[in-house]
Amino acid sequence: MTFPVSKHVAAMRGSSTLIAAAAAADMRERGIDVIDMSVGEPDFDTPEFIKQYAWEGLKKGLTKYTATAGMADYRSAIVEFYASRFGADIKVAEVAASCGGKQALFNAACTLLNPGDDVLIPKPYWVTFPEIVTFCGANSVFIETEQTDFILTADQVAAAITDKTKLLIINSPSNPSGRVIPPDEMRRIVEVCAARGVYVMTDECYLFFAYPPAEPFSLASLPDELREYVCVAGSFSKTYAMTGWRAGYTIANEAWTKAMVKLQSHSATHPTSFVQYACAKALRNQDETMAAVSAMTAEYERRRNWLIPALNEVNGFKCAMPEGAFYAFVDVRGLLGAEFTASADVADKLLRDAHIVVTDGAGFGADGFLRFSYATSLENLERAVDAMKLMFGVKAVPA
Ligand SMILES: Cc1ncc(COP(=O)(O)O)c(C=O)c1O
């Protein structure tokens, strides 16, 4: 019997990032020493004091349902944190808890989009964005950004908006490109959207992974008249090395927040009670929490500074310096021709012959590129680059 999967779910594609992770797991199971550069999560453990907060929450008996929008303490800790870090003026009623950033994005899209709406998504995009749009029965309209080095501009957005456009999805620092849209440009993008009645969903999952001179910038800090059009999808996953805790939140106008809470009341209800407790305590203990975040960020930056020039020495590789996140997005079109017809073939050769797992750019809307994660040790990165230099050769003059 064939199971009659619903049309909206059947139309969604599986995650290409998970396909790479599955290939790595399969090789490991066969006893192969794999260098996994496909990982989308920190290689650091959650800071010990945050784990202790969760235990404290359990001991306090926080083992029952909370409000669907999240514990009052969780929501007000987020309000205070954004006020202190970004000068944001948001109200508790504009914040709702979600199970990770992914549910925040789903809640935001499902409460706004109707079938037939157009959604602008800059390329390259995080794999989940177009799939959420498909699930809602809306249409993804992609914006090419290669001519601006993968950094979206307000002009590109203005040129792409039509009467059918309902939403723009942005993600800065970006997965997969690691590029960061400068704050002034972000603001101009929202101004262009607001003037045309287009909403903006901003995925701030990698908010604090911006390397100097780039700085963390949240759209939650915009004035109310612009914020009216914005939904911030926030996440504890990457910033605090808490991917498994499933803690996230939205910051959006009150009506949008109410709709999201209504939707969530019929799905996940809320993120785990003692996780909310631990997250609230972590945000309130800003000194210790941000010291832990800075230490992790400094290590990612150290790896980035080594990795990007090293990758640019490999024949056929070209990679711009990413300002944020923990990914290098490498243009391998220089290798296409006789042996390889697509970047997927290059990824396949790396996997088969060097046991290096990377993610093909096609799943991010950028065939010809490969995504290398540096959420792995410098030693692994060095081994990987050595193997790639052997495989493809070294440029006579580095790019
Ligand atoms: C851009 C982006 N947004 C959201 C997420 C999901 O985050 P969470 O674990 O908070 O659901 C990821 C995870 O890889 C991501 O890369």
Side-chain angles (χ1 to χ4, degrees), residues 6-57:
S6 72
K7 268 195 264 172
H8 285 178
V9 173
M12 294 168 87
R13 292 172 306 169
S15 167
S16 57
T17 49
L18 295 184
I19 292 169
D26 177 58
M27 289 183 103
R28 259 190 231 105
E29 246 168 52
R30 288 188 280 130
I32 298 170
D33 180 17
V34 170
I35 306 176
D36 191 354
M37 297 181 78
S38 73
V39 278
E41 66 180 344
D43 54 325
F44 301 104
D45 194 5
T46 303
E48 187 57 34
F49 67 96
I50 302 182
K51 291 184 190 170
Q52 287 304 323
Y53 291 152
W55 180 225
E56 192 180 296

Side-chain angles (χ1 to χ4, degrees), residues 40 99-103 105 126 129 171 175 203 205-206 234-238 243 246-247 327:
C99 302
K102 218 177 239 181
Q103 193 186 28
L105 295 163
W126 182 47
F129 297 149
N171 170 224
N175 175 7
D203 179 344
C205 186
Y206 296 91
S235 170
F236 284 81
S237 290
K238 319 277 169 155
T243 43
R246 311 310 304 135
Y327 305 105

Side-chain angles (χ1 to χ4, degrees), residues 64-214:
K64 301 285 162 55
Y65 289 132
T66 73
T68 303
M71 285 164 34
D73 195 39
Y74 181 79
R75 299 166 81 195
S76 60
I78 290 167
V79 168
E80 287 159 29
F81 182 82
Y82 275 77
S84 120
R85 305 283 329 167
F86 302 108
D89 183 19
I90 52 179
K91 298 191 274 300
V92 170
E94 295 172 324
V95 177
S98 63
C99 302
K102 218 177 239 181
Q103 193 186 28
L105 295 163
F106 255 92
N107 285 348
C110 293
T111 48
L112 176 73
L113 298 176
N114 290 310
D117 286 339
D118 280 355
V119 179
L120 299 178
I121 303 179
K123 279 184 175 181
Y125 46 77
W126 182 47
V127 288
T128 293
F129 297 149
E131 305 314 321
I132 299 178
V133 173
T134 299
F135 178 76
C136 293
N139 314 308
S140 294
V141 177
F142 299 106
I143 303 180
E144 297 291 343
T145 62
E146 196 176 349
Q147 59 288 23
T148 49
D149 294 328
F150 293 146
I151 298 178
L152 182 71
T153 67
D155 287 348
Q156 288 165 338
V157 174
I161 292 177
T162 70
D163 292 346
K164 284 181 71 190
T165 311
K166 188 74 159 284
L167 176 69
L168 164 73
I169 305 179
I170 50 179
N171 170 224
S172 172
S174 153
N175 175 7
S177 74
R179 304 316 302 265
V180 171
I181 305 170
D184 287 352
E185 199 62 33
M186 289 272 263
R187 190 192 165 105
R188 273 195 290 274
I189 289 170
V190 179
E191 282 168 353
V192 162
C193 288
R196 302 282 300 270
V198 172
Y199 289 84
V200 178
M201 185 160 90
T202 173
D203 179 344
E204 298 188 352
C205 186
Y206 296 91
L207 178 64
F208 284 100
F209 298 159
Y211 310 115

Side-chain angles (χ1 to χ4, degrees), residues 199-329:
Y199 289 84
V200 178
M201 185 160 90
T202 173
D203 179 344
E204 298 188 352
C205 186
Y206 296 91
L207 178 64
F208 284 100
F209 298 159
Y211 310 115
E215 277 180 19
F217 171 72
S218 173
L219 286 187
S221 63
L222 292 182
D224 284 357
E225 65 276 14
L226 291 178
R227 239 178 10 85
E228 196 55 31
Y229 287 91
V230 173
C231 178
V232 172
S235 170
F236 284 81
S237 290
K238 319 277 169 155
T239 304
Y240 311 102
M242 293 174 69
T243 43
W245 295 57
R246 311 310 304 135
Y249 48 91
T250 46
I251 303 171
N253 70 54
E254 273 190 62
W256 200 349
T257 300
K258 268 193 189 145
M260 291 192 279
V261 172
K262 179 167 144 190
L263 173 65
Q264 191 168 284
S265 74
H266 295 295
S267 59
T269 309
H270 60 74
T272 306
S273 47
F274 49 88
V275 164
Q276 292 183 52
Y277 176 85
C279 290
K281 289 224 43 163
L283 291 185
R284 289 217 161 87
N285 180 3
Q286 252 190 68
D287 288 349
E288 205 170 348
T289 297
M290 293 318 289
V293 172
S294 296
M296 293 189 271
T297 312
E299 176 57 20
Y300 291 133
E301 190 185 2
R302 190 171 80 95
R303 295 173 189 173
R304 176 199 71 154
N305 292 347
W306 181 85
L307 180 65
I308 309 305
L311 286 172
N312 276 317
E313 289 172 17
V314 179
N315 251 341
F317 281 21
K318 216 167 84 184
C319 183
M321 185 60 100
E323 298 91 355
F326 43 60
Y327 305 105
F329 204 50

